[in-house]
Amino acid sequence: MKNQISKNRFLMSVLLLFSLSTVLSACGDTSGSNKSDSADPQSNKTEIVWVMATDPDKKAWQDTMISTFEASHPNVKVRLENIPYDQFDQKLTTLIASGNAPDVWNPNQADSGFATYMKMGALKDLTPYIKKGAPELNTMDPNLLNIYKIDGKYYGVPLVSNATYLYYNKDLFDAAGLPYPTTDWDDKSWNFDTMLETAKKLSHDVGNARKQVFGFSTALSANEMTWLFGGDMFKPEAYTTGVMGEPDLTKPVNIQAMQFNVDLINKYKVAPDAETVEASKQLGDPFLTGKVGMYISGGWGLGSYRQADFKWGVAAVPYHEGRKVPLYVDPWSISATSKHPDEAWEFVRHLANPAEGGGAYKYMNDVGRTPADTSLFKLWYDKMGKEVGMDPKAFKQVHEGSIKYGREAENHLIVNFNTILETMNQSLYQVWGGKESVTDGLNNLKDKLLSLNLNH
């Protein structure tokens, strides 16, 4: 996740008005060279390097994966390197360019995404390994596996399939005497107008930093906001070729979606403004503050929100004709220049193992992320229903609805999307603040995106 971003992986910078990215502490550094091309001199073991974005939620799982793999592969040592999320793309790109790429990593852990690393030629073709047979993949959803199949070749093995949900604070809903949002994605009465009216009833004391409660917020990018209304800032071929192309920003549906979100901040005062976002960024995830009634974000929240000191649930994103939401299918990939690809592949199999105690099984249970393996879904629905306090059937309905109306995340498919996203956030800052019209802001954004010279 995306989360993922999935996710999770939060995909947005603080300049995106609705998002307060999770502040992750650094617990590793990659300044040293990658020594995976040689054996450990002290033990004569083959060493492979595994890179992950820093995430306290995953630390225990990572340690377990290494210890269990090394126990079953006594001649291999796994060296884990954690990179803070906001440094991940830059440091990983530097490692690849300098010939020190890690052996195993998830190319979707930050904002650059799979397409960027594919274009760099940094990912190894895993097809020969998969064709030899890997029992761990027998129950993998082929549609998910095929996401990372390019020109007939596989370049990644999915671990998670984070979706997008509307999270809601049950305590705030109860205090306001409001019914919880529906889990039915096809309920057309749960639309954005209804959501706005609900957000108005949840919001209070806006402007008082100590007491204010906002009815709504979102972690989505400006582009993904247009998806919710059936729009898109980029043409369809951008997602299939990986090349941004000429943006298609000022379509009426895009303007409608953007204006609605601008009005949430400035007209209706039910969503946080730029200053609130900036002042609160050190608090981390906005939903965890307990001061947000409804929050659209990725499936990683199912694990992250375990620590919340309030009751919460998940519901359908409001209905709109043509609505789509991001999916964050994160894979494990192997470096094209790995000196030990066989050992790296064995480790990927270990990470993807859905059997009880296996990597995918424990990732679902210990980290709380949505599995990509179909054999785990019954357990997943039961587990999350119990944790969230929902009927497992209702949780299943929320998740399957998100998949039905989902499409793969933008940063996974468009090359150099980290640069595109940063440009988008900076350029639209005045729009979110109500100091520039949506149309003017989108026209200015188009000029800035084209000036990046990414269309080659």
Side-chain angles (χ1 to χ4, degrees):
M1 157 28 291
K2 16 120 84 319
N3 70 298
Q4 268 33 293
I5 114 287
S6 255
K7 305 170 78 309
N8 79 13
R9 96 212 266 261
F10 288 110
L11 298 176
M12 307 300 107
S13 73
V14 296
L15 290 177
L16 179 54
L17 297 186
F18 294 119
S19 174
L20 302 174
S21 298
T22 303
V23 177
L24 301 176
S25 60
C27 62
D29 183 67
T30 60
S31 57
S33 62
N34 182 329
K35 299 177 181 178
S36 64
D37 59 346
S38 61
D40 183 332
Q42 295 182 335
S43 63
N44 202 33
K45 294 182 178 181
T46 297
E47 181 179 80
I48 60 174
V49 176
W50 179 28
V51 161
M52 290 281 287
T54 304
D55 187 341
D57 291 343
K58 300 174 185 173
K59 184 64 171 64
W61 174 80
Q62 292 170 351
D63 292 343
T64 300
M65 286 301 95
I66 292 173
S67 63
T68 53
F69 181 77
E70 290 181 345
S72 59
H73 297 77
N75 294 322
V76 182
K77 174 180 174 57
V78 179
R79 175 157 61 88
L80 173 66
E81 293 186 353
N82 285 122
I83 305 176
Y85 179 90
D86 59 357
Q87 302 172 28
F88 191 87
D89 287 323
Q90 181 181 357
K91 286 199 171 185
L92 185 54
T93 300
T94 300
L95 288 172
I96 293 170
S98 63
N100 293 315
D103 295 283
V104 176
W105 83 93
N106 166 14
N108 286 339
Q109 282 222 278
D111 295 327
S112 283
F114 175 83
T116 298
Y117 295 109
M118 268 298 295
K119 184 179 180 182
M120 293 172 64
L123 308 181
K124 186 174 184 61
D125 175 15
L126 304 180
T127 311
Y129 291 110
I130 292 174
K131 284 186 174 180
K132 286 180 182 177
E136 297 81 4
L137 303 184
N138 288 347
T139 50
M140 177 71 65
D141 184 339
N143 293 321
L144 299 184
L145 192 62
N146 286 340
I147 288 175
Y148 300 106
K149 185 178 184 180
I150 310 297
D151 296 329
K153 299 177 180 180
Y154 295 97
Y155 292 90
V157 172
L159 172 70
V160 295
S161 57
N162 284 318
T164 293
Y165 314 114
L166 179 88
Y167 295 90
Y168 63 95
N169 184 320
K170 290 184 177 179
D171 291 354
L172 293 179
F173 270 78
D174 292 344
L178 296 172
Y180 298 149
T182 183
T183 56
D184 183 0
W185 287 69
D186 292 315
D187 182 350
K188 296 183 180 181
S189 69
W190 177 237
N191 53 41
F192 282 97
D193 289 336
T194 308
M195 185 279 290
L196 173 58
E197 292 307 309
T198 302
K200 289 178 181 178
K201 295 173 183 177
L202 291 168
S203 301
H204 62 78
D205 293 302
V206 173
N208 184 328
R210 297 176 63 87
K211 296 182 179 181
Q212 64 187 359
V213 168
F214 294 101
F216 178 81
S217 188
T218 177
L220 299 184
S221 72
N223 182 41
E224 290 167 334
M225 289 176 192
T226 71
W227 291 8
L228 301 189
F229 282 63
D232 200 318
M233 291 185 176
F234 305 101
K235 296 175 181 176
E237 53 266 30
Y239 301 95
T240 56
T241 65
V243 178
M244 178 183 70
E246 183 172 350
D248 193 9
L249 302 183
T250 55
K251 293 186 296 188
V253 66
N254 290 347
I255 294 173
Q256 178 194 13
M258 292 284 291
Q259 189 64 57
F260 178 84
N261 283 280
V262 168
D263 287 345
L264 292 178
I265 303 169
N266 301 299
K267 181 178 180 180
Y268 301 112
K269 311 290 185 184
V270 298
D273 61 19
E275 288 72 24
T276 302
V277 170
E278 184 65 24
S280 305
K281 66 182 180 181
Q282 296 303 320
L283 298 177
D285 184 272
F287 189 67
L288 276 176
T289 66
K291 302 297 185 181
V292 175
M294 296 175 285
Y295 186 58
I296 297 178
S297 188
W300 47 85
L302 297 171
S304 301
Y305 299 155
R306 288 169 169 174
Q307 59 184 293
D309 58 5
F310 55 86
K311 295 179 181 178
W312 55 275
V314 289
V317 170
Y319 179 85
H320 193 288
E321 187 70 28
R323 170 198 54 190
K324 290 291 183 180
V325 295
L327 302 179
Y328 308 92
V329 180
D330 287 351
W332 296 116
S333 294
I334 295 175
S335 169
T337 58
S338 172
K339 299 299 191 295
H340 305 293
D342 292 349
E343 290 83 356
W345 173 247
E346 289 302 307
F347 187 57
V348 167
R349 289 179 60 184
H350 182 70
L351 294 175
N353 187 357
E356 185 170 354
Y361 180 94
K362 292 187 69 64
Y363 200 73
M364 174 189 72
N365 277 282
D366 299 352
V367 185
R369 300 297 194 266
T370 310
D373 196 291
T374 56
S375 66
L376 294 174
F377 270 99
K378 177 63 167 63
L379 289 171
W380 172 245
Y381 295 141
D382 290 345
K383 170 185 168 60
M384 291 314 305
K386 182 177 180 180
E387 287 190 10
V388 179
M390 297 175 64
D391 184 323
K393 292 182 180 178
F395 179 80
K396 178 182 179 182
Q397 184 180 38
V398 173
H399 180 72
E400 290 186 344
S402 184
I403 299 299
K404 176 181 177 181
Y405 291 104
R407 52 181 292 192
E408 191 58 23
E410 52 193 352
N411 69 307
H412 295 184
L413 302 176
I414 299 178
V415 174
N416 293 324
F417 200 81
N418 58 327
T419 302
I420 295 169
L421 180 61
E422 182 179 0
T423 303
M424 188 181 298
N425 291 340
Q426 292 177 350
S427 183
L428 295 176
Y429 192 82
Q430 297 297 319
V431 173
W432 298 126
K435 298 176 182 178
E436 185 177 42
S437 74
V438 170
T439 301
D440 288 347
L442 290 175
N443 281 323
N444 290 334
L445 174 59
K446 180 177 181 179
D447 292 340
K448 292 177 181 178
L449 288 175
L450 291 175
S451 72
L452 297 175
N453 294 317
L454 297 177
N455 296 328
H456 52 77

